[in-house]
Amino acid sequence: MTAADSVASAESDDPTTGMDAVAFESFAGEVAQFRDTVVAPNVTRWESEKRMAPEALREASGIGLLAMEVPAALGGLGMNFAQKCRIVEVLSAVSMPFAFSLVNTGNIAARVANLGSEVHRERYLADLMAGRRFGSTALTEPGAGSDFANIATTATPVEGGFRLDGAKAWITNAAHSDVIFCYAQTEPGSRGRGIASFLIDGTRAGFERLLPYELAGGHLIGTGGFRLDGYIAPAEDLIGPPGQAFLAAMSSVNGARTYVAAMCCAMVEATLAGAVRYGTQREAFGKPVIGHQGLAWKLAGVQNRLEAAQLLTERAVEAVTESLRTGDASGAILPAAHAKKFTTETAEADIAACIQTMGAEGLRSNYPWGHHLVGARIANYVDGSTEIQTDRIARSLQDIYA
């Protein structure tokens, strides 16, 4: 079962139609082969080197993985959101951090294709789709994370455009990205009302890349930050006007929370499958390990919670798909919050439980289970922390039940 399974085929004129179903299934098989031959054999080495894997991202571009949601007319695959979730599940069965890095460049390619001007598309799109350049979305700052409306990076009008000044932190792909959708405050003190978005080019003057963060793991995400010091954004690089950009960012986060939930489901399912295989083959006290009730019941609990997580994720995929069809994001807010809260809270504990059933063998680096454990921890922070999801659900209680 996958997050995409319950999404029905749309009418041909619906923007959420996506790839032909037969072609998509064939493509998903190609992605699994890429995952198993390129990503799986190298994850441990990449992590030991504490770096992103730009060479693997470029190889991924060869089958279109950096252009999943770019319209086919512009050279992309023209996938819909549900299909994108299915692909990140396939990749996350081996490496959620790699999948997360990849999907973020793909997101920027899709935004350039759909929101950028013809000049933007000519300048950036082909390079993003080919992995010659990488993309980031820059919201978070050293002093503003979950409270996005409190960002301090300023955009000051100047002749011909805007001057951007400030710092961004905890940005996915910051180690290599230089095509960046950056959010800045045009009217300090106005919170969301004054926030605008700009397409900035990291090769221009005024952009300073900072060193990537040293983390406990998950370096494939390339997390880091940058500074803007007198960066001049021409007027045509204003993508989202003040106020509108903030609302658009809040709407798009529903999709991000949902595909993070799908990634968590994939990590749990892969670890559970590995634990069951090991428990079937390894014997202790005269019978297979999985024949001991204590371990079998522990894995049964994981499977039970995984079923719930997958159903919540399916529901969120359906809600996001509907919001993209109608242009009204309100109906996707709670399903996305429920899916992300439940999957991130259960994934970490359930991956650890699966590792425990394998004994010390589960710690060996030839299994990606430790990598998944770090991926699950990362998932608790990205695109709105678990606490933010809990608060969003809590604020809905009176509307639903009072």
Side-chain angles (χ1 to χ4, degrees):
M1 178 170 56
T2 71
D5 287 341
S6 66
V7 179
S9 297
E11 296 298 325
S12 60
D13 59 349
D14 192 316
T16 61
T17 298
M19 290 178 68
D20 170 78
V22 174
F24 175 75
E25 289 302 324
S26 176
F27 178 74
E30 286 186 67
V31 175
Q33 183 177 16
F34 167 82
R35 175 200 66 195
D36 294 341
T37 58
V38 176
V39 182
N42 292 298
V43 168
T44 300
R45 176 174 61 84
W46 290 334
E47 279 296 345
S48 69
E49 294 170 352
K50 296 183 178 180
R51 67 178 183 89
M52 285 181 66
E55 69 279 12
L57 291 172
R58 282 189 283 271
E59 192 165 346
S61 74
I63 59 172
L65 275 171
L66 299 180
M68 287 189 284
E69 291 182 296
V70 174
L74 295 176
L77 297 181
M79 284 188 190
N80 60 33
F81 179 75
Q83 291 169 337
K84 171 179 164 179
C85 285
R86 168 82 177 278
I87 295 305
V88 300
E89 286 176 327
V90 172
L91 293 170
S92 296
V94 163
S95 178
M96 176 270 189
F98 179 83
F100 199 74
S101 171
L102 180 147
V103 82
N104 271 267
T105 284
N107 288 345
I108 297 303
R111 289 183 186 176
V112 169
N114 295 315
L115 302 177
S117 66
E118 186 59 36
V119 171
H120 292 142
R121 287 191 286 271
E122 290 179 0
R123 184 176 297 158
Y124 301 118
L125 187 55
D127 283 347
L128 286 166
M129 293 193 297
R132 292 187 291 269
R133 301 182 75 167
F134 301 105
S136 290
T137 301
L139 292 83
T140 305
E141 298 182 358
S146 297
D147 186 8
F148 167 47
N150 195 42
I151 62 172
T153 296
T154 57
T156 306
V158 296
E159 185 176 354
F162 295 82
R163 172 182 169 136
L164 273 61
D165 295 280
K168 293 294 179 178
W170 296 104
I171 305 303
T172 298
N173 287 346
H176 289 289
S177 62
D178 56 16
V179 183
I180 302 167
F181 270 66
C182 181
Y183 292 80
Q185 179 59 260
T186 63
E187 187 182 345
S190 68
R191 292 183 64 79
R193 189 178 70 252
I195 291 177
S197 63
F198 300 84
L199 180 57
I200 69 172
D201 188 327
T203 66
R204 293 180 183 169
F207 177 93
E208 179 189 0
R209 190 186 315 280
L210 304 179
L211 290 175
Y213 299 155
E214 292 256 353
L215 303 175
H219 294 91
L220 284 162
I221 292 180
T223 305
F226 60 85
R227 290 194 191 95
L228 298 171
D229 184 4
Y231 178 93
I232 302 301
E236 60 268 23
D237 289 349
L238 172 66
I239 302 298
Q244 292 182 27
F246 179 81
L247 294 175
M250 293 298 94
S251 296
S252 66
V253 79
N254 296 326
R257 290 169 179 172
T258 300
Y259 64 65
V260 169
M263 291 173 173
C264 287
C265 290
M267 289 189 288
V268 172
E269 186 165 39
T271 313
L272 175 60
V276 170
R277 286 193 298 269
Y278 181 81
T280 302
Q281 296 162 5
R282 173 68 184 267
E283 289 194 1
F285 302 101
K287 59 182 176 182
V289 169
I290 202 168
H292 295 276
Q293 187 181 80
L295 296 183
W297 281 28
K298 186 186 291 286
L299 295 179
V302 173
Q303 171 63 17
N304 179 239
R305 289 182 291 275
L306 176 60
E307 287 282 326
Q310 288 172 323
L311 288 168
L312 281 170
T313 304
E314 288 179 8
R315 179 173 168 234
V317 169
E318 292 175 342
V320 171
T321 298
E322 179 65 9
S323 74
L324 293 172
R325 188 185 67 80
T326 64
D328 180 4
S330 61
I333 294 171
L334 274 178
H338 277 295
K340 188 172 189 292
K341 173 180 166 59
F342 187 82
T343 58
T344 55
E345 284 186 329
T346 58
E348 195 170 8
D350 285 340
I351 291 169
C354 291
I355 294 173
Q356 183 70 20
T357 66
M358 296 176 65
E361 182 71 14
L363 299 176
R364 292 172 66 96
S365 63
N366 56 306
Y367 301 109
W369 317 145
H371 187 63
H372 286 340
L373 197 56
V374 173
R377 175 96 307 265
I378 291 170
N380 276 271
Y381 302 117
V382 296
D383 296 304
S385 68
T386 303
E387 291 77 14
I388 290 296
Q389 312 314 311
T390 302
D391 184 66
R392 186 64 192 84
I393 294 167
R395 286 188 283 118
S396 74
L397 294 176
Q398 292 186 53
D399 292 338
I400 297 172
Y401 297 109

